[in-house]
Each structure stands twice: as C-alpha cells, then as structure tokens.
Amino acid sequence: SQTIHQWPATLVQPVGSPLSLECTVEGTSNPNLYWYRQAAGRGLQLLFYSVGIGQISSEVPQNLSASRPQDRQFILSSKKLLLSDSGFYLCAWTPMVGGADGELFFGEGSRLTVL
Amino acid sequence: QKEVEQDPGPLSVPEGAIVSLNCTYSNSAFQYFMWYRQYSRKGPELLMYTYSSGNKEDGRFTAQVDKSSKYISLFIRDSQPSDSATYLCAMTSGTYKYIFGTGTRLKVLA
C-alpha cells in the first residue's frame, strides 16, 4: 500500500533562518506531488505542485521554493523565513500520471512557527 | 464569490445523530468531489471520493453529489464522539488544482 511521510512534524525557527521540509511517498511511482499551506479559517492554499523530477509549478509567488530531486521526494525550502511563513504545511500526492482527477492523499503535516 | 462555500460551524450533535455536512460551488467544470476528515494538528484523511451525481455509501458515510444544483453533501449515520473533527470538502475539474472548502467543525457529544 502507498504511504506518505512528512518531516519534521513540528519546528520553531527564528526569522531569517532557512527552512527545509521533506516529503516522501512509498509504494507508487510517478506520483503528482503537492505542497499546501493551511491557515486557520482560510482553507488550504496550494503552494507548489510537481508532475515529475525537476518539474515544479508555483501557484503563489512568495518566500518559498520547492524541489523534486527524486521521483517520490518533494522538498519545500526557504532561504530566509518571514513571520508570515508560520503555518501548517501539508504534502500531498495523487496516483494519476498526466492528470489530476485522482484521489488526493495528504501527509501528517509540518507545523512551522517563525519567531 | 468563493468557488466553494462551506459553513464553518461548529456543529454540535448528540451521539447517535445523523450529521449532514454541505458544500456549494460555483464552477460547473468541477467533476470530482472529495470529503476529508481532519483531526486537530493532523493531516486531512480522505473519506469519500466521487465523480458522478448521486449517492455513494461507505459504512456510516454517504456522499451525495447534485451537479445540477452545484451542491454536495456528506451524511454521517450513528455519529460517534470519535467523529468529532473538521470536515473539508474538495473538488477539481481534472486539472492539478484542487479547490477546498474552509471546513466545518463537528462536535459529537457523548
């Protein structure tokens, strides 16, 4: 069966520090991968999605970047965190190749607090 | 107007009640619909996935889609305290963009 792992689960970082959140999917090949941010009362905001290694699409210009160095690995990064980057970050994947009408599965999330 | 509207609640019901959760949407291109359950500080868990009008049942959960009215529902029968969570609806037209409701908080009282 397929599983998705996301880490770290919780982190507290000072303003201006770098960030790296990692996500891996097991039990499938060529998944579409997504990074979302969830803010209280505001729903899920799509940040990045990827349909293959090295292929990243950004939905919202901001202080974050994403990379996909391997088929089942997706990384969210920042060089310098802002207070506004605080939030709950969710990695997700769909099993469809070339399309996105499949079920979307989420990881457990990473809660980031920037102080 | 938001693409997806969902009542934030909270919705409080007694144990054993039938719960009805709803979302309305404005984009007639949406064809695939999902319901998620999210416990506090956890990632959303996919409960139901449908792609046609009508009902789909899975245990105590029934998902209903009415494309003509642009309205989807999730019914929970014999609700339990463990069902207390936030429920998110989501939909997509088949692109990479999934649109989510803001979630309804449900409390099932023992």
Side-chain angles (χ1 to χ4, degrees):
Chain A
S1 63
Q2 301 92 349
T3 56
I4 179 170
H5 302 284
Q6 190 178 339
W7 69 93
T10 306
L11 66 166
V12 180
Q13 296 283 99
V15 169
S17 65
L19 171 73
S20 181
L21 301 178
E22 191 163 338
C23 170
T24 59
V25 181
E26 296 179 356
T28 188
S29 297
N30 303 315
N32 296 324
L33 296 172
Y34 304 77
W35 278 111
Y36 287 87
R37 179 167 56 201
Q38 187 175 35
R42 294 178 60 185
L44 284 151
Q45 178 189 31
L46 177 63
L47 303 175
F48 301 95
Y49 69 87
S50 172
V51 300
I53 296 173
Q55 301 180 62
I56 308 295
S57 295
S58 173
E59 285 294 304
V60 182
Q62 55 202 322
N63 187 41
L64 302 170
S65 62
S67 62
R68 184 169 177 174
Q70 300 181 43
D71 179 45
R72 292 171 291 173
Q73 184 185 27
F74 207 21
I75 298 171
L76 183 69
S77 304
S78 175
K79 292 182 179 177
K80 288 186 177 182
L81 284 168
L82 307 172
L83 286 174
S84 58
D85 291 324
S86 294
F88 192 47
Y89 289 84
L90 291 157
C91 182
W93 71 282
T94 59
M96 294 294 291
V97 175
D101 54 355
E103 299 105 311
L104 182 67
F105 298 99
F106 286 92
E108 284 295 295
S110 297
R111 186 163 302 278
L112 170 66
T113 302
V114 182
L115 301 175
Chain B
Q1 181 188 9
K2 290 182 180 179
E3 285 191 279
V4 178
E5 299 276 2
Q6 184 175 11
D7 189 328
L11 177 64
S12 294
V13 301
E15 183 176 357
I18 296 175
V19 176
S20 174
L21 304 166
N22 311 295
C23 287
T24 59
Y25 62 95
S26 58
N27 189 346
S28 58
F30 289 144
Q31 297 187 46
Y32 308 94
F33 305 91
M34 287 142 280
W35 284 97
Y36 291 85
R37 176 175 63 196
Q38 186 174 23
Y39 293 114
S40 180
R41 308 183 78 84
K42 297 290 187 181
E45 173 193 3
L46 180 63
L47 288 177
M48 301 290 282
Y49 170 78
T50 60
Y51 51 85
S52 59
S53 284
N55 293 353
K56 179 179 180 180
E57 189 174 318
D58 184 0
R60 295 186 296 114
F61 299 94
T62 298
Q64 187 176 80
V65 174
D66 183 347
K67 290 186 179 180
S68 62
S69 300
K70 298 190 183 68
Y71 189 89
I72 66 171
S73 299
L74 178 71
F75 298 96
I76 307 174
R77 291 183 298 279
D78 187 24
S79 57
Q80 303 295 311
S82 59
D83 294 327
S84 298
T86 297
Y87 289 80
L88 302 166
C89 64
M91 49 201 76
T92 179
S93 59
T95 68
Y96 300 103
K97 187 170 289 188
Y98 290 71
I99 306 300
F100 291 83
T102 52
T104 300
R105 269 179 48 203
L106 171 66
K107 294 183 180 180
V108 181
L109 306 172

